[in-house]
Amino acid sequence: MSDVRVRFAPSPTGFFHIGSARTALFNWLYARHTGGTFVLRIEDTDKERNTEEALRVLMDGMKWLGLDWDEGPEVGGDHGPYFQSQRSDIYREYLQKLIDAGRTYEKEGAIFFRLEGERYTEYDDYKKCEVEKVRTTPQIIDDQVRGRVERAEEKDFVLYRSNGEPVFHFVNVVDDISMGITHVIRGEDHLSNTSKHCELFRALGAEPPVFAHIPLILKSTGPGKMSKRDEGALIEDYQKNRFLPAAVRNYLCLLGWSPKDDSEVLPIDEIIERFDFDGINSGNARFDEKKMAHINAEYIRQLPLETLAWMVSPILVEEGLVDDSTDEDYLQDVLRVSQEKMTALNALPALIGFFFSNDYAIDEKTQGRIFKKGDPLARIRELIPLIEAEESFTADSLDASIESLAESQGFKKFEYFPVARFAVSGAGGGPDLLPMISTLGRHRVLERFQNFLEIHATSTS
RNA sequence: GUCCCGUUCGUCUAGUCAGGCCUAGGACACCGGGUUUUCAUCCCGGCAACAGGGGUUCGAAUCCCCUACGGGACGCCA
């Protein structure tokens, strides 16, 4: 166990933003990499939007991504409480230190932090008024991602609001000190706050922690950082859309961090082993939903069959495709022949629904194509006796049988494939045809061929 | 407006810290071909980038400066 202590300090807002998730992830990775401690601290000072439900969303999201915390809500720890709303006494105590040191003053009911240095007044173009500024000595931040950053704070700032509540900058620093945080890994949007925080650390007699400001995640298109309204911005959406958490986590690792050797899909243990500050990029990263989907698809295809079955069953049950009476082996067979064509679990009912139900969608485009040329009805009529007679009913034997049938009719075997596929599944694509027919079994195939003939014999003649 | 950070294919990135190995590599996307004239898989191929300008140097994607562009911060929000 190393003495590294990192924290993720979200404010529960009712959703779990992908940027926050990535910050949590990087902190978690660093803690696991170093054998340190990952603290979850809840910044629930904004009473309006902090609800039990909001906290749930956050913790569920973290657990879903596999980000377990060593100290914090539900698990406790020696540095609690882990909710800011329960730490008022601690904040008062630290405020007293600043008061005793003469670093505070009161104005309009609020308590301000007093910077040290020469004072002057200047027109502020942003605030559109005269403000008092201070020439302070710049704070030097030895950032692990950006290198040396120098920034001078120039205005006194509020520590306690006139309503008696402490502000973010103050509680954040106090919590980091009192919880013994050694490394602060957070978004680059906090970089310019850091001079403020360093002032506070030093005024409180504490050495600032090591900082690492990680790049922001930008919208996939258009300007600015990812906002909660953007497509793919919320972890809840990935949960809902049945993404594999490990895949989402893997993709997030790759946004702003690189293993340096061209590998992308990596088991989490290996990422933990290789994760470090020098692999973190300094430029912001644009979110790419296509790549996210691609990585998700790779994960799905890599799943062992039993795991896949275990994950997929509830989805199929929910869709009414499978129930207790469904044959386990049949389900396994279906998944075995379909897995290589899977790209997203929420698209699964559409991909393999026809294996379980006769009530599947008919793809109009494919139907149009099938009937445009040749004689699909005749092809199916020719196939029926073959299906009835075919003995071993394996993909290979079916292939051979169809091949010789085609030969005897003066066709290429491909003349039969698209028609058979459509007759049996209503689709133009799907698992490889022969394994698919073999899996469906003689009975289902014949049933659907007959059905196909009945429907189209009347409508087309 | 001020301050801070950044800038390699459309996107994520390798290479930059320790200048020559870079006619700049990989992946996603896209395009073409093949894989059972299905397909969402797989294989092969292709397209495509060092933001611009000055230096330093025998030599710069790599070091320095300027400009441009992008991002962030500037709350009694967090």
Side-chain angles (χ1 to χ4, degrees):
Chain A
M1 193 88 174
S2 83
D3 54 5
V4 166
R5 291 177 59 82
V6 295
R7 45 67 166 182
F8 173 52
S11 161
T13 49
F15 47 85
F16 192 20
H17 190 270
I18 194 166
S20 307
R22 210 261 318 237
T23 300
L25 172 62
F26 279 26
N27 275 282
W28 179 83
L29 284 171
Y30 191 66
R32 295 296 170 259
H33 174 75
T34 55
T37 306
F38 179 49
V39 179
L40 176 61
R41 179 171 84 213
I42 306 298
E43 308 216 328
D44 58 344
T45 44
D46 185 341
K47 293 185 183 71
E48 300 291 300
R49 41 183 194 180
N50 279 294
T51 61
E52 193 65 24
E53 174 58 22
L55 182 62
R56 254 306 22 107
V57 169
L58 191 86
M59 295 201 299
D60 281 355
M62 287 189 60
K63 287 176 190 168
W64 185 74
L65 285 169
L67 308 182
D68 56 321
W69 51 97
D70 307 309
E71 292 179 23
E74 293 183 342
V75 299
D78 298 336
H79 301 260
Y82 293 93
F83 291 86
Q84 284 187 341
S85 56
Q86 296 164 21
R87 297 174 64 81
S88 315
D89 293 348
I90 300 170
Y91 303 138
R92 283 284 161 192
E93 197 182 300
Y94 277 83
L95 174 65
Q96 194 55 49
K97 291 189 189 186
L98 291 181
I99 294 173
D100 293 345
R103 296 301 300 273
T104 65
Y105 61 88
E106 236 180 287
K107 197 171 99 184
E108 293 159 8
I111 300 172
F112 279 75
F113 180 71
R114 188 199 306 277
L115 291 171
E116 286 175 332
E118 182 198 337
R119 284 171 187 262
Y120 61 102
T121 318
E122 191 177 70
Y123 181 77
D124 187 310
D125 215 8
Y126 181 74
K127 284 193 151 186
K128 305 291 177 202
C129 64
E130 291 281 322
V131 295
E132 186 186 51
K133 293 193 175 174
V134 188
R135 262 184 259 285
T136 59
T137 48
Q139 297 295 319
I140 315 264
I141 303 143
D142 181 25
D143 194 278
Q144 295 303 294
V145 174
R146 276 145 229 289
R148 178 193 161 101
V149 177
E150 210 178 292
R151 191 174 186 275
E153 208 52 43
E154 54 178 15
K155 277 180 282 190
D156 290 344
F157 53 90
V158 172
L159 298 173
Y160 269 75
R161 291 186 264 271
S162 47
N163 68 3
E165 296 287 333
V167 305
F168 161 75
H169 299 298
F170 181 65
V171 297
N172 196 263
V173 166
V174 169
D175 286 342
D176 284 344
I177 294 173
S178 57
M179 291 184 176
I181 299 304
T182 58
H183 295 69
V184 170
I185 304 167
R186 54 172 25 166
E188 200 224 42
D189 49 347
H190 283 292
L191 186 55
S192 18
N193 290 330
T194 307
S195 47
K196 206 169 280 174
H197 298 171
C198 285
E199 289 279 1
L200 286 174
F201 276 109
R202 300 213 156 91
L204 286 164
E207 195 53 36
V210 175
F211 289 101
H213 286 94
I214 64 180
L216 267 24
I217 301 177
L218 268 27
K219 290 177 198 292
S220 54
T221 53
K225 56 176 173 174
M226 198 92 164
S227 89
K228 63 182 173 197
R229 299 175 151 268
D230 291 311
E231 190 73 32
L234 268 32
I235 297 302
E236 302 91 275
D237 293 342
Y238 296 100
Q239 295 178 267
K240 230 178 293 159
N241 293 329
R242 307 187 192 283
F243 275 75
L244 264 41
V248 175
R249 183 178 59 196
N250 196 145
Y251 175 68
L252 253 24
C253 287
L254 264 20
L255 272 189
W257 173 80
S258 164
K260 305 276 190 196
D261 68 351
D262 295 342
S263 50
E264 294 192 323
V265 173
L266 286 164
I268 194 64
D269 289 346
E270 198 171 325
I271 294 179
I272 287 171
E273 198 183 314
R274 299 168 67 163
F275 185 85
D276 212 338
F277 293 133
D278 61 7
I280 300 179
N281 296 97
S282 41
N284 292 336
R286 210 169 270 281
F287 179 76
D288 184 352
E289 62 272 21
K290 291 245 184 69
K291 184 129 185 183
M292 167 80 260
H294 170 81
I295 292 192
N296 185 239
E298 288 212 31
Y299 268 85
I300 292 173
R301 285 180 228 116
Q302 282 183 5
L303 248 27
L305 205 56
E306 309 81 67
T307 315
L308 180 67
W310 174 80
M311 296 187 87
V312 146
S313 295
I315 302 173
L316 299 179
V317 169
E318 199 175 298
E319 293 288 325
L321 294 166
V322 158
D323 58 34
D324 292 345
S325 68
T326 307
D327 186 74
E328 284 280 327
D329 293 338
Y330 182 59
L331 176 60
Q332 290 251 337
D333 288 344
V334 167
L335 294 178
R336 185 179 303 110
V337 303
S338 313
Q339 184 173 22
E340 64 168 7
K341 298 300 172 74
M342 294 180 188
T343 55
L345 291 188
N346 65 349
L348 211 55
L351 183 72
I352 64 170
F354 68 89
F355 277 109
F356 306 100
S357 160
N358 288 330
D359 183 27
Y360 45 84
I362 301 296
D363 185 65
E364 304 277 341
K365 259 178 69 182
T366 304
Q367 182 166 345
R369 205 175 59 228
I370 297 292
F371 282 92
K372 207 164 175 181
K373 53 174 185 177
D375 187 348
L377 296 179
R379 296 297 85 74
I380 293 298
R381 281 192 203 99
E382 288 156 15
L383 279 172
I384 287 175
L386 181 150
I387 295 295
E388 282 170 337
E390 165 61 43
E391 273 180 43
S392 43
F393 222 76
T394 63
D396 286 345
S397 69
L398 285 162
D399 189 37
S401 302
I402 296 176
E403 179 85 63
S404 62
L405 167 67
E407 222 167 287
S408 71
Q409 300 290 322
F411 292 128
K412 288 198 221 157
K413 62 179 173 179
F414 310 119
E415 202 70 27
Y416 293 90
F417 279 64
V419 188
R421 169 183 293 284
F422 179 75
V424 127
S425 71
D432 283 345
L433 180 66
L434 273 358
M436 176 173 133
I437 286 185
S438 167
T439 300
L440 272 166
R442 198 189 314 274
H443 178 71
R444 286 193 192 81
V445 174
L446 286 174
E447 190 178 54
R448 291 184 190 182
F449 278 1
Q450 297 293 358
N451 213 270
F452 176 81
L453 291 177
E454 274 168 38
I455 293 167
H456 297 287
T458 49
S459 63
T460 54
S461 57

